[in-house]
PDB file of all heavy atoms in Angstrom:
ATOM      1  N   LYS A   1      37.532 171.308 137.401  1.00 48.00           N
ATOM      2  CA  LYS A   1      38.506 171.332 136.317  1.00 48.00           C
ATOM      3  C   LYS A   1      39.864 171.747 136.867  1.00 48.00           C
ATOM      4  O   LYS A   1      39.996 172.676 137.632  1.00 48.00           O
ATOM      5  CB  LYS A   1      38.072 172.289 135.217  1.00 48.00           C
ATOM      6  CG  LYS A   1      39.016 172.270 134.026  1.00 48.00           C
ATOM      7  CD  LYS A   1      38.351 172.851 132.826  1.00 48.00           C
ATOM      8  CE  LYS A   1      39.261 172.882 131.620  1.00 48.00           C
ATOM      9  NZ  LYS A   1      39.804 171.624 131.226  1.00 48.00           N
ATOM     10  N   GLY A   2      40.887 171.018 136.465  1.00 55.00           N
ATOM     11  CA  GLY A   2      42.232 171.326 136.901  1.00 55.00           C
ATOM     12  C   GLY A   2      42.655 170.598 138.164  1.00 55.00           C
ATOM     13  O   GLY A   2      43.773 170.752 138.616  1.00 55.00           O
ATOM     14  N   ASP A   3      41.785 169.778 138.755  1.00 72.00           N
ATOM     15  CA  ASP A   3      42.175 168.993 139.927  1.00 72.00           C
ATOM     16  C   ASP A   3      43.196 167.940 139.519  1.00 72.00           C
ATOM     17  O   ASP A   3      43.259 167.529 138.371  1.00 72.00           O
ATOM     18  CB  ASP A   3      40.964 168.301 140.552  1.00 72.00           C
ATOM     19  CG  ASP A   3      40.119 169.239 141.382  1.00 72.00           C
ATOM     20  OD1 ASP A   3      40.565 170.369 141.647  1.00 72.00           O
ATOM     21  OD2 ASP A   3      39.014 168.841 141.767  1.00 72.00           O
ATOM     22  N   GLU A   4      43.962 167.508 140.486  1.00 79.00           N
ATOM     23  CA  GLU A   4      44.951 166.477 140.253  1.00 79.00           C
ATOM     24  C   GLU A   4      44.753 165.351 141.258  1.00 79.00           C
ATOM     25  O   GLU A   4      44.128 165.532 142.296  1.00 79.00           O
ATOM     26  CB  GLU A   4      46.362 167.036 140.425  1.00 79.00           C
ATOM     27  CG  GLU A   4      46.772 168.030 139.370  1.00 79.00           C
ATOM     28  CD  GLU A   4      48.206 168.494 139.564  1.00 79.00           C
ATOM     29  OE1 GLU A   4      48.627 168.695 140.723  1.00 79.00           O
ATOM     30  OE2 GLU A   4      48.910 168.647 138.549  1.00 79.00           O
ATOM     31  N   PHE A   5      45.268 164.180 140.903  1.00 82.00           N
ATOM     32  CA  PHE A   5      45.299 163.073 141.839  1.00 82.00           C
ATOM     33  C   PHE A   5      46.658 162.407 141.746  1.00 82.00           C
ATOM     34  O   PHE A   5      47.371 162.553 140.760  1.00 82.00           O
ATOM     35  CB  PHE A   5      44.165 162.076 141.593  1.00 82.00           C
ATOM     36  CG  PHE A   5      44.227 161.370 140.253  1.00 82.00           C
ATOM     37  CD1 PHE A   5      44.927 160.181 140.101  1.00 82.00           C
ATOM     38  CD2 PHE A   5      43.559 161.887 139.155  1.00 82.00           C
ATOM     39  CE1 PHE A   5      44.969 159.526 138.882  1.00 82.00           C
ATOM     40  CE2 PHE A   5      43.591 161.238 137.932  1.00 82.00           C
ATOM     41  CZ  PHE A   5      44.301 160.059 137.791  1.00 82.00           C
ATOM     42  N   LYS A   6      47.024 161.682 142.784  1.00 90.00           N
ATOM     43  CA  LYS A   6      48.291 160.968 142.816  1.00 90.00           C
ATOM     44  C   LYS A   6      48.055 159.543 142.325  1.00 90.00           C
ATOM     45  O   LYS A   6      47.155 158.852 142.809  1.00 90.00           O
ATOM     46  CB  LYS A   6      48.846 160.960 144.239  1.00 90.00           C
ATOM     47  CG  LYS A   6      50.227 160.380 144.349  1.00 90.00           C
ATOM     48  CD  LYS A   6      50.748 160.534 145.773  1.00 90.00           C
ATOM     49  CE  LYS A   6      52.149 159.994 145.884  1.00 90.00           C
ATOM     50  NZ  LYS A   6      52.695 160.165 147.232  1.00 90.00           N
ATOM     51  N   CYS A   7      48.855 159.102 141.366  1.00 92.00           N
ATOM     52  CA  CYS A   7      48.731 157.749 140.823  1.00 92.00           C
ATOM     53  C   CYS A   7      48.994 156.724 141.917  1.00 92.00           C
ATOM     54  O   CYS A   7      49.958 156.833 142.675  1.00 92.00           O
ATOM     55  CB  CYS A   7      49.712 157.556 139.671  1.00 92.00           C
ATOM     56  SG  CYS A   7      49.727 155.871 139.012  1.00 92.00           S
ATOM     57  N   VAL A   8      48.134 155.705 141.978  1.00 92.00           N
ATOM     58  CA  VAL A   8      48.260 154.659 142.996  1.00 92.00           C
ATOM     59  C   VAL A   8      49.448 153.729 142.738  1.00 92.00           C
ATOM     60  O   VAL A   8      49.862 153.000 143.625  1.00 92.00           O
ATOM     61  CB  VAL A   8      46.972 153.799 143.115  1.00 92.00           C
ATOM     62  CG1 VAL A   8      45.802 154.629 143.580  1.00 92.00           C
ATOM     63  CG2 VAL A   8      46.663 153.084 141.819  1.00 92.00           C
ATOM     64  N   TYR A   9      49.994 153.753 141.521  1.00 94.00           N
ATOM     65  CA  TYR A   9      51.092 152.846 141.185  1.00 94.00           C
ATOM     66  C   TYR A   9      52.448 153.559 141.143  1.00 94.00           C
ATOM     67  O   TYR A   9      53.362 153.181 141.859  1.00 94.00           O
ATOM     68  CB  TYR A   9      50.803 152.151 139.848  1.00 94.00           C
ATOM     69  CG  TYR A   9      51.804 151.081 139.508  1.00 94.00           C
ATOM     70  CD1 TYR A   9      51.783 149.868 140.169  1.00 94.00           C
ATOM     71  CD2 TYR A   9      52.770 151.277 138.535  1.00 94.00           C
ATOM     72  CE1 TYR A   9      52.704 148.874 139.878  1.00 94.00           C
ATOM     73  CE2 TYR A   9      53.694 150.298 138.232  1.00 94.00           C
ATOM     74  CZ  TYR A   9      53.659 149.101 138.900  1.00 94.00           C
ATOM     75  OH  TYR A   9      54.569 148.118 138.604  1.00 94.00           O
ATOM     76  N   CYS A  10      52.564 154.617 140.309  1.00 94.00           N
ATOM     77  CA  CYS A  10      53.868 155.273 140.147  1.00 94.00           C
ATOM     78  C   CYS A  10      54.037 156.503 141.039  1.00 94.00           C
ATOM     79  O   CYS A  10      55.138 157.011 141.181  1.00 94.00           O
ATOM     80  CB  CYS A  10      54.123 155.643 138.695  1.00 94.00           C
ATOM     81  SG  CYS A  10      53.132 157.028 138.057  1.00 94.00           S
ATOM     82  N   GLY A  11      52.944 156.996 141.625  1.00 93.00           N
ATOM     83  CA  GLY A  11      53.019 158.114 142.555  1.00 93.00           C
ATOM     84  C   GLY A  11      53.089 159.495 141.928  1.00 93.00           C
ATOM     85  O   GLY A  11      53.164 160.491 142.636  1.00 93.00           O
ATOM     86  N   ARG A  12      53.036 159.590 140.605  1.00 93.00           N
ATOM     87  CA  ARG A  12      53.074 160.901 139.950  1.00 93.00           C
ATOM     88  C   ARG A  12      51.736 161.615 140.095  1.00 93.00           C
ATOM     89  O   ARG A  12      50.688 160.977 140.185  1.00 93.00           O
ATOM     90  CB  ARG A  12      53.399 160.757 138.469  1.00 93.00           C
ATOM     91  CG  ARG A  12      54.795 160.283 138.196  1.00 93.00           C
ATOM     92  CD  ARG A  12      55.053 160.330 136.709  1.00 93.00           C
ATOM     93  NE  ARG A  12      56.335 159.752 136.379  1.00 93.00           N
ATOM     94  CZ  ARG A  12      56.803 159.672 135.154  1.00 93.00           C
ATOM     95  NH1 ARG A  12      56.092 160.113 134.135  1.00 93.00           N
ATOM     96  NH2 ARG A  12      57.976 159.127 134.921  1.00 93.00           N
ATOM     97  N   MET A  13      51.783 162.941 140.067  1.00 91.00           N
ATOM     98  CA  MET A  13      50.563 163.737 140.065  1.00 91.00           C
ATOM     99  C   MET A  13      49.996 163.770 138.648  1.00 91.00           C
ATOM    100  O   MET A  13      50.738 163.908 137.675  1.00 91.00           O
ATOM    101  CB  MET A  13      50.830 165.157 140.569  1.00 91.00           C
ATOM    102  CG  MET A  13      51.241 165.201 142.032  1.00 91.00           C
ATOM    103  SD  MET A  13      50.086 164.383 143.154  1.00 91.00           S
ATOM    104  CE  MET A  13      48.661 165.438 143.035  1.00 91.00           C
ATOM    105  N   VAL A  14      48.661 163.632 138.528  1.00 87.00           N
ATOM    106  CA  VAL A  14      47.995 163.500 137.235  1.00 87.00           C
ATOM    107  C   VAL A  14      46.836 164.490 137.159  1.00 87.00           C
ATOM    108  O   VAL A  14      46.016 164.566 138.077  1.00 87.00           O
ATOM    109  CB  VAL A  14      47.447 162.059 137.059  1.00 87.00           C
ATOM    110  CG1 VAL A  14      46.695 161.918 135.756  1.00 87.00           C
ATOM    111  CG2 VAL A  14      48.575 161.048 137.150  1.00 87.00           C
ATOM    112  N   ASP A  15      46.760 165.247 136.055  1.00 77.00           N
ATOM    113  CA  ASP A  15      45.629 166.137 135.797  1.00 77.00           C
ATOM    114  C   ASP A  15      44.422 165.266 135.498  1.00 77.00           C
ATOM    115  O   ASP A  15      44.478 164.369 134.671  1.00 77.00           O
ATOM    116  CB  ASP A  15      45.946 167.040 134.612  1.00 77.00           C
ATOM    117  CG  ASP A  15      44.828 168.009 134.240  1.00 77.00           C
ATOM    118  OD1 ASP A  15      43.816 168.070 134.963  1.00 77.00           O
ATOM    119  OD2 ASP A  15      44.979 168.703 133.228  1.00 77.00           O
ATOM    120  N   ASP A  16      43.294 165.525 136.160  1.00 71.00           N
ATOM    121  CA  ASP A  16      42.133 164.644 135.995  1.00 71.00           C
ATOM    122  C   ASP A  16      41.273 164.977 134.783  1.00 71.00           C
ATOM    123  O   ASP A  16      40.360 164.243 134.469  1.00 71.00           O
ATOM    124  CB  ASP A  16      41.277 164.627 137.266  1.00 71.00           C
ATOM    125  CG  ASP A  16      40.397 165.849 137.405  1.00 71.00           C
ATOM    126  OD1 ASP A  16      40.820 166.938 136.973  1.00 71.00           O
ATOM    127  OD2 ASP A  16      39.289 165.710 137.946  1.00 71.00           O
ATOM    128  N   GLN A  17      41.522 166.069 134.084  1.00 66.00           N
ATOM    129  CA  GLN A  17      40.661 166.443 132.958  1.00 66.00           C
ATOM    130  C   GLN A  17      41.473 166.922 131.755  1.00 66.00           C
ATOM    131  O   GLN A  17      41.344 168.061 131.328  1.00 66.00           O
ATOM    132  CB  GLN A  17      39.684 167.526 133.389  1.00 66.00           C
ATOM    133  CG  GLN A  17      38.740 167.043 134.455  1.00 66.00           C
ATOM    134  CD  GLN A  17      37.630 168.036 134.711  1.00 66.00           C
ATOM    135  OE1 GLN A  17      37.259 168.813 133.857  1.00 66.00           O
ATOM    136  NE2 GLN A  17      37.087 167.996 135.909  1.00 66.00           N
ATOM    137  N   PRO A  18      42.291 166.070 131.156  1.00 58.00           N
ATOM    138  CA  PRO A  18      43.079 166.489 129.998  1.00 58.00           C
ATOM    139  C   PRO A  18      42.242 166.532 128.727  1.00 58.00           C
ATOM    140  O   PRO A  18      41.244 165.819 128.607  1.00 58.00           O
ATOM    141  CB  PRO A  18      44.137 165.403 129.895  1.00 58.00           C
ATOM    142  CG  PRO A  18      43.418 164.189 130.365  1.00 58.00           C
ATOM    143  CD  PRO A  18      42.507 164.671 131.481  1.00 58.00           C
ATOM    144  N   TYR A  19      42.635 167.349 127.808  1.00 57.00           N
ATOM    145  CA  TYR A  19      42.057 167.367 126.463  1.00 57.00           C
ATOM    146  C   TYR A  19      40.531 167.455 126.452  1.00 57.00           C
ATOM    147  O   TYR A  19      39.865 166.835 125.634  1.00 57.00           O
ATOM    148  CB  TYR A  19      42.507 166.141 125.662  1.00 57.00           C
ATOM    149  CG  TYR A  19      43.996 166.125 125.422  1.00 57.00           C
ATOM    150  CD1 TYR A  19      44.838 165.340 126.198  1.00 57.00           C
ATOM    151  CD2 TYR A  19      44.564 166.914 124.443  1.00 57.00           C
ATOM    152  CE1 TYR A  19      46.204 165.342 125.994  1.00 57.00           C
ATOM    153  CE2 TYR A  19      45.925 166.927 124.234  1.00 57.00           C
ATOM    154  CZ  TYR A  19      46.737 166.136 125.007  1.00 57.00           C
ATOM    155  OH  TYR A  19      48.082 166.144 124.801  1.00 57.00           O
ATOM    156  N   GLY A  20      39.935 168.157 127.403  1.00 50.00           N
ATOM    157  CA  GLY A  20      38.493 168.376 127.395  1.00 50.00           C
ATOM    158  C   GLY A  20      37.647 167.200 127.823  1.00 50.00           C
ATOM    159  O   GLY A  20      36.442 167.204 127.657  1.00 50.00           O
ATOM    160  N   THR A  21      38.270 166.154 128.395  1.00 54.00           N
ATOM    161  CA  THR A  21      37.476 165.014 128.869  1.00 54.00           C
ATOM    162  C   THR A  21      36.811 165.367 130.181  1.00 54.00           C
ATOM    163  O   THR A  21      37.198 166.312 130.856  1.00 54.00           O
ATOM    164  CB  THR A  21      38.366 163.764 129.071  1.00 54.00           C
ATOM    165  OG1 THR A  21      39.351 164.071 130.051  1.00 54.00           O
ATOM    166  CG2 THR A  21      39.041 163.343 127.785  1.00 54.00           C
ATOM    167  N   ARG A  22      35.812 164.615 130.565  1.00 59.00           N
ATOM    168  CA  ARG A  22      35.107 164.881 131.820  1.00 59.00           C
ATOM    169  C   ARG A  22      35.908 164.459 133.031  1.00 59.00           C
ATOM    170  O   ARG A  22      35.895 165.098 134.059  1.00 59.00           O
ATOM    171  CB  ARG A  22      33.756 164.179 131.822  1.00 59.00           C
ATOM    172  CG  ARG A  22      32.823 164.787 130.820  1.00 59.00           C
ATOM    173  CD  ARG A  22      31.402 164.315 131.055  1.00 59.00           C
ATOM    174  NE  ARG A  22      30.572 164.893 130.024  1.00 59.00           N
ATOM    175  CZ  ARG A  22      29.725 164.222 129.302  1.00 59.00           C
ATOM    176  NH1 ARG A  22      29.559 162.933 129.504  1.00 59.00           N
ATOM    177  NH2 ARG A  22      29.012 164.824 128.388  1.00 59.00           N
ATOM    178  N   HIS A  23      36.603 163.356 132.921  1.00 66.00           N
ATOM    179  CA  HIS A  23      37.494 162.916 133.996  1.00 66.00           C
ATOM    180  C   HIS A  23      38.428 161.842 133.460  1.00 66.00           C
ATOM    181  O   HIS A  23      38.096 161.110 132.546  1.00 66.00           O
ATOM    182  CB  HIS A  23      36.709 162.371 135.193  1.00 66.00           C
ATOM    183  CG  HIS A  23      35.911 161.144 134.889  1.00 66.00           C
ATOM    184  ND1 HIS A  23      34.650 161.189 134.364  1.00 66.00           N
ATOM    185  CD2 HIS A  23      36.221 159.833 135.014  1.00 66.00           C
ATOM    186  CE1 HIS A  23      34.198 159.960 134.188  1.00 66.00           C
ATOM    187  NE2 HIS A  23      35.134 159.123 134.567  1.00 66.00           N
ATOM    188  N   ARG A  24      39.601 161.805 134.026  1.00 74.00           N
ATOM    189  CA  ARG A  24      40.584 160.798 133.631  1.00 74.00           C
ATOM    190  C   ARG A  24      40.419 159.588 134.533  1.00 74.00           C
ATOM    191  O   ARG A  24      40.164 159.717 135.719  1.00 74.00           O
ATOM    192  CB  ARG A  24      41.993 161.356 133.785  1.00 74.00           C
ATOM    193  CG  ARG A  24      43.057 160.328 133.482  1.00 74.00           C
ATOM    194  CD  ARG A  24      44.430 160.841 133.789  1.00 74.00           C
ATOM    195  NE  ARG A  24      44.849 161.892 132.890  1.00 74.00           N
ATOM    196  CZ  ARG A  24      45.272 161.703 131.636  1.00 74.00           C
ATOM    197  NH1 ARG A  24      45.296 160.492 131.127  1.00 74.00           N
ATOM    198  NH2 ARG A  24      45.663 162.705 130.908  1.00 74.00           N
ATOM    199  N   ASN A  25      40.582 158.410 133.966  1.00 78.00           N
ATOM    200  CA  ASN A  25      40.435 157.173 134.725  1.00 78.00           C
ATOM    201  C   ASN A  25      41.745 156.461 135.011  1.00 78.00           C
ATOM    202  O   ASN A  25      41.750 155.493 135.743  1.00 78.00           O
ATOM    203  CB  ASN A  25      39.512 156.212 133.978  1.00 78.00           C
ATOM    204  CG  ASN A  25      38.090 156.684 133.982  1.00 78.00           C
ATOM    205  OD1 ASN A  25      37.580 157.059 135.020  1.00 78.00           O
ATOM    206  ND2 ASN A  25      37.451 156.684 132.832  1.00 78.00           N
TER     207      ASN A  25
END
């Protein structure tokens, strides 16, 4: 929880688990 990844298109950092979801796609 709280990990981030870099977007493959725009390059922004993205939280992988917003709003209680298991993972962001």
Side-chain angles (χ1 to χ4, degrees):
K1 184 162 179 57
D3 282 349
E4 292 183 321
F5 64 89
K6 186 175 182 178
C7 176
V8 296
Y9 187 74
C10 72
R12 292 186 186 180
M13 294 306 293
V14 177
D15 180 5
D16 78 326
Q17 296 190 26
Y19 296 100
T21 61
R22 292 194 182 131
H23 64 274
R24 176 187 291 283
N25 290 313

